[in-house]
Amino acid sequence: MKIKNLRFSYTSITIVIAVYFALIINVPIYSELGGILYRLDSVNPGFVATIPLFFIASFNIIFNAFSWPLITKPFFIILLLLSSAASYATFSYGVIFDSDMIVNVIETDSAEASSYISIYSLAWFLFMGGIPSLFLFIVKIEESDPLLFMTMKKSISVIASIVVILIIATLYYQDYASVGRNNSYLKKVIIPTELVYSIGKYVNNEYLSDPLPYKKIGEDAQKTDTHKTKKPTLFVFVLGETARAQNQQLNGYSRKTNQFTSQEGVISFKNVSSCGTATAVSVPCLFSILERENFNRERADKQDNLLDIMQRAGTEMLWVENDSGDKNVAKHIPQITVNRHESQTYCDGQTCFDEAVIQSFIEKTSNADSSQDLMTVLHLIGSHGPTYFKRYPENMRVFTPDCQRADIENCSKEEIVNTYDNTILYTDYVINKVIKELKDLSSKYNTALIYVSDHGESLGENGIYLHGLPYSIAPDFQTHVPMFFWADDNFLKDKKVDSFCLNKIAERNTFSHDNIFHSLLGIMDISTSAYQESKDIFSLCRQ
C-alpha cells in the first residue's frame, strides 16, 4: 500500500505519534535509565517493562490536546524536527534543553551552530525527524464523524491512557517514586516536554511579559586614585570559553598545558566555580551584581553591570569579541568584533584563532588616552566544542592523535582529550602573548591581567560531553573553572598588593564568579555603594 493511500483518524494518528515519541525519539532517557537501573542492587522486571507503556500513555494524553483539524500536521511536524535535534544532542552529548540552554541556543551565532553539524548529526536528524515528518505530511488524516463524536473518541483514548497509568501506578508506584526522587533531573531528559516548556518560557519572557524598567547601579561610582603622580592602570580581562580547571598544568594537571604562562609568575586560583554551565548565563552573571543563587538573565539585562559602573567612574573601556557575542553585557561600551568572514592571518572565513583579538587590543592601546585608566575585555573562543580542532593552529597541535571531526562521540577518549588539551595550550599561548604586550606598555601603564573561563566542559566522563547541564546536576568538570592573575611589579606596588598573600589564598581559598564584580571594582580603586569589600579577592591581600 502506498503511503499516500494510508488514512488515519485524529485519534489513531495521535497514538502513532505517541508511540514514536515514546519508543524512538526518547532513546536518550532509556540510555539514562539503563545506567541508573544497572547501578541498583535489584530491579523489578515488571517495572522496567511498563516504562515504555507509561510514556506512550502519557504522550497520548498530552498530544490529544493538539490533535485537531488544521493544526495536527504543522504542529507535530515542527515538534518532530525540533525533538529529533534535541534527541541527538541529548543522546550524543548529554545536553538537557532547559530554559537556560534554550537561551544559549538562540544566542548562538551561525558559525558556532555550524560546528555541531556532521554527517552523523545530519543522518540522525534525517532519519529520526525528517522522514517521519515527511510521512506525516503525506498521509491523510480525516474524520468521517461529526466533531462531537470525534471528541468523544479522543476522550475515550485519553481515559484509556489514564487507566493504563493508574494501573501502572498501583503496581509499581514505589519503583517509579524511588527512581524519580533519587534522579529528579530525569524529567528534564524527557522529550519533548522539557523542550516545549523551556521554549514557551523563553517566548513568554521575551515577547509576552511586560519588560522590566532599567535600573541604574553604582551611580555614585568614582575613582579614589586620580593618578596625579602615578601612571594609569591598563587592566586586561581575558574571558575564556569552555576551559575547565582540571586540564590546567597550573592546577596540577600532568600535561604541560600552561607551559607559556607558567614562566611568567602567573597566579592560579585553584578553586573557582562558575555562575552557570553555558555562556548565555555565565557571562552576564559574571559581570552582574547579581549572584548565582539569585541570578536572572532578564534582570541582569535591565540593569547596570560592572563595565557600566567602571565606565561611569572614568575608566576607558573596550570589548574585543571573538566568540558568540557579548550576551548584552557590553551594550554601553565600545566594541570591536573580529571579522571572521574574511580570510586573513588568523581567520578562514568561518572562524578565527584567538590571536586575532591581540591586534585589536594593540591598536586600541596605542591610540588610547594614556592619562586614563583603561580596561579591555578580550572574549576568546577558547575551547569551544565540539570542533575543538578548529580552535588551534597546526603549530599548537602538540597532543596527538587528535579528533579532527565535529561528532566527537565517534572519536576515542584519548583523541578527544588530546584535542581539548591543544585548545588549552593555545589559549595559554595567547594569554602569554597578551602579557608580553603588557610588558611592552609598562612605560605608559601599570599593567595587570585576569583570565577566567565562563564555564567548563565534559569530555565523555559518564557518557556526558560538552556543557550546559542544569547546575544542580552538572558535574564538576562543567562548573570548576580556571582563573589566573598576572601583574607587573609597578601595579602590585601601586595597588599595595602582597603577591605572597595572593598566592597563598589562590591555593587555599574557594572563590566563584560572584567575586569578580567586587574584585574588579576594588582593584581599580572605584568607590561605590555597590561594592562589597568582603567579596573582593584582592582586599584580602592589600596592605
Side-chain angles (χ1 to χ4, degrees):
M1 179 183 293
K2 294 182 178 180
I3 292 178
K4 65 180 180 180
N5 292 330
L6 289 175
R7 297 175 186 274
F8 292 87
S9 67
Y10 286 95
T11 303
S12 60
I13 195 66
T14 304
I15 294 174
V16 171
I17 295 172
V19 170
Y20 186 75
F21 268 83
L23 301 183
I24 307 300
I25 291 288
N26 271 282
V27 64
I29 198 166
Y30 294 117
S31 176
E32 194 69 25
L33 280 168
I36 292 170
L37 298 177
Y38 179 77
R39 293 190 293 270
L40 297 179
D41 293 333
S42 62
V43 179
N44 189 325
F47 159 60
V48 176
T50 64
I51 292 175
L53 293 176
F54 176 82
F55 284 139
I56 292 171
S58 299
F59 285 137
N60 188 51
I61 294 170
I62 296 169
F63 290 168
N64 261 287
F66 303 95
S67 179
W68 298 95
L70 300 180
I71 68 170
T72 298
K73 284 193 176 185
F75 177 81
F76 285 107
I77 286 173
I78 293 172
L79 191 64
L80 278 166
L81 294 174
L82 289 176
S83 297
S84 63
S87 178
Y88 169 76
T90 304
F91 183 78
S92 299
Y93 303 127
V95 173
I96 293 178
F97 286 87
D98 61 359
S99 54
D100 289 339
M101 180 54 68
I102 294 301
V103 174
N104 203 48
V105 169
I106 290 173
E107 294 188 354
T108 297
D109 61 24
S110 58
E112 183 179 342
S114 65
S115 67
Y116 293 90
I117 298 174
S118 64
I119 294 176
Y120 186 62
S121 64
L122 289 174
W124 184 293
F125 182 76
L126 173 65
F127 286 101
M128 187 168 283
I131 293 177
S133 295
L134 181 62
F135 171 85
L136 183 58
F137 179 78
I138 294 174
V139 299
K140 292 182 178 181
I141 306 174
E142 54 188 26
E143 195 73 50
S144 58
D145 298 320
L147 181 62
L148 178 61
F149 286 97
M150 181 181 77
T151 304
M152 289 178 61
K153 288 199 297 185
K154 286 167 63 67
S155 299
I156 292 171
S157 179
V158 168
I159 292 170
S161 294
I162 293 174
V163 171
V164 170
I165 291 174
L166 290 175
I167 293 173
I168 292 173
T170 301
L171 296 174
Y172 303 109
Y173 173 78
Q174 185 175 351
D175 298 278
Y176 278 91
S178 176
V179 172
R181 278 197 300 266
N182 294 327
N183 306 276
S184 59
Y185 71 93
L186 282 174
K187 63 180 180 290
K188 292 179 177 288
V189 183
I190 300 173
I191 302 169
T193 52
E194 183 69 16
L195 175 67
V196 172
Y197 168 78
S198 300
I199 292 174
K201 183 178 179 182
Y202 175 83
V203 171
N204 180 66
N205 291 341
E206 289 294 314
Y207 304 108
L208 304 179
S209 301
D210 292 332
L212 295 174
Y214 194 87
K215 180 181 180 181
K216 287 189 173 292
I217 295 175
E219 292 185 273
D220 58 344
Q222 60 181 343
K223 289 189 178 295
T224 57
D225 186 346
T226 60
H227 300 299
K228 290 182 178 178
T229 59
K230 303 175 184 177
K231 289 182 292 186
T233 296
L234 169 55
F235 200 103
V236 176
F237 190 105
V238 183
L239 178 56
E241 170 68 68
T242 321
R244 66 188 207 176
Q246 293 87 348
N247 290 56
Q248 308 291 329
Q249 176 189 350
L250 291 171
N251 291 343
Y253 189 49
S254 59
R255 284 179 160 177
K256 294 183 178 180
T257 52
N258 301 122
Q259 60 182 270
F260 300 101
T261 58
S262 61
Q263 307 300 315
E264 298 290 352
V266 168
I267 297 173
S268 175
F269 290 80
K270 294 180 171 55
N271 303 295
V272 179
S273 58
S274 65
C275 187
T277 62
T279 305
V281 173
S282 278
V283 170
C285 183
L286 189 151
F287 290 100
S288 173
I289 195 172
L290 302 174
E291 299 184 350
R292 188 185 72 80
E293 293 294 337
N294 66 345
F295 181 75
N296 177 279
R297 174 66 188 273
E298 185 183 11
R299 286 179 61 198
D301 286 347
K302 293 295 183 178
Q303 64 184 29
D304 289 338
N305 57 42
L306 170 66
L307 307 183
D308 299 319
I309 295 172
M310 294 182 71
Q311 182 168 252
R312 182 177 297 129
T315 302
E316 192 172 356
M317 306 295 295
L318 175 67
W319 182 287
V320 184
E321 178 63 45
N322 189 40
D323 197 10
S324 57
D326 68 300
K327 308 307 177 188
N328 216 30
V329 168
K331 55 185 176 293
H332 297 141
I333 69 170
Q335 296 186 53
I336 297 174
T337 300
V338 173
N339 188 353
R340 66 180 66 167
H341 302 297
E342 293 183 4
S343 295
Q344 46 186 291
T345 305
Y346 301 115
C347 306
D348 63 5
Q350 291 185 321
T351 187
C352 295
F353 297 132
D354 281 323
E355 284 176 88
V357 303
I358 298 177
Q359 186 59 42
S360 298
F361 162 67
I362 294 172
E363 292 174 359
K364 175 63 178 179
T365 52
S366 62
N367 297 321
D369 180 357
S370 60
S371 65
Q372 282 187 285
D373 285 348
L374 171 63
M375 177 169 163
T376 300
V377 180
L378 307 179
H379 191 191
L380 309 184
I381 197 168
S383 302
H384 201 295
T387 51
Y388 304 123
F389 68 97
K390 291 186 177 181
R391 308 296 172 235
Y392 52 89
E394 183 64 28
N395 66 322
M396 289 290 152
R397 193 182 179 190
V398 174
F399 305 109
T400 56
D402 53 357
C403 178
Q404 296 281 319
R405 55 195 298 173
D407 51 338
I408 58 174
E409 68 278 12
N410 291 316
C411 290
S412 69
K413 179 65 180 295
E414 178 192 13
E415 290 171 334
I416 295 171
V417 173
N418 285 342
T419 317
Y420 184 81
D421 283 348
N422 285 334
T423 69
I424 299 297
L425 176 64
Y426 179 60
T427 295
D428 190 68
Y429 174 76
V430 171
I431 295 171
N432 193 55
K433 284 191 71 171
V434 177
I435 290 174
K436 289 181 177 178
E437 292 295 337
L438 291 177
K439 288 181 176 180
D440 291 341
L441 292 165
S442 60
S443 60
K444 293 172 58 178
Y445 298 97
N446 294 328
T447 60
L449 173 147
I450 274 185
Y451 165 78
V452 63
S453 183
D454 58 354
H455 54 77
E457 185 87 327
S458 290
L459 300 178
E461 297 86 5
N462 298 316
I464 301 172
Y465 296 87
L466 304 181
H467 54 268
L469 282 179
Y471 206 93
S472 59
I473 63 169
D476 195 46
F477 298 111
Q478 294 188 26
T479 61
H480 186 190
V481 294
M483 186 168 82
F484 308 146
F485 175 71
W486 174 91
D488 66 21
D489 291 339
N490 288 328
F491 178 93
L492 296 173
K493 182 178 179 181
D494 186 34
K495 303 296 183 180
K496 297 181 173 60
V497 175
D498 184 339
S499 60
F500 178 79
C501 167
L502 209 58
N503 267 295
K504 187 175 179 180
I505 65 168
E507 186 76 30
R508 300 178 180 178
N509 292 27
T510 299
F511 300 106
S512 74
H513 280 172
D514 293 342
N515 295 101
I516 298 296
F517 181 93
H518 305 282
S519 299
L520 267 290
L521 288 178
I523 201 65
M524 294 298 284
D525 295 314
I526 296 174
S527 173
T528 171
S529 56
Y531 167 75
Q532 297 181 46
E533 184 178 1
S534 62
K535 296 176 182 177
D536 178 356
I537 295 172
F538 298 105
S539 69
L540 299 171
C541 297
R542 296 186 76 174
Q543 300 170 343

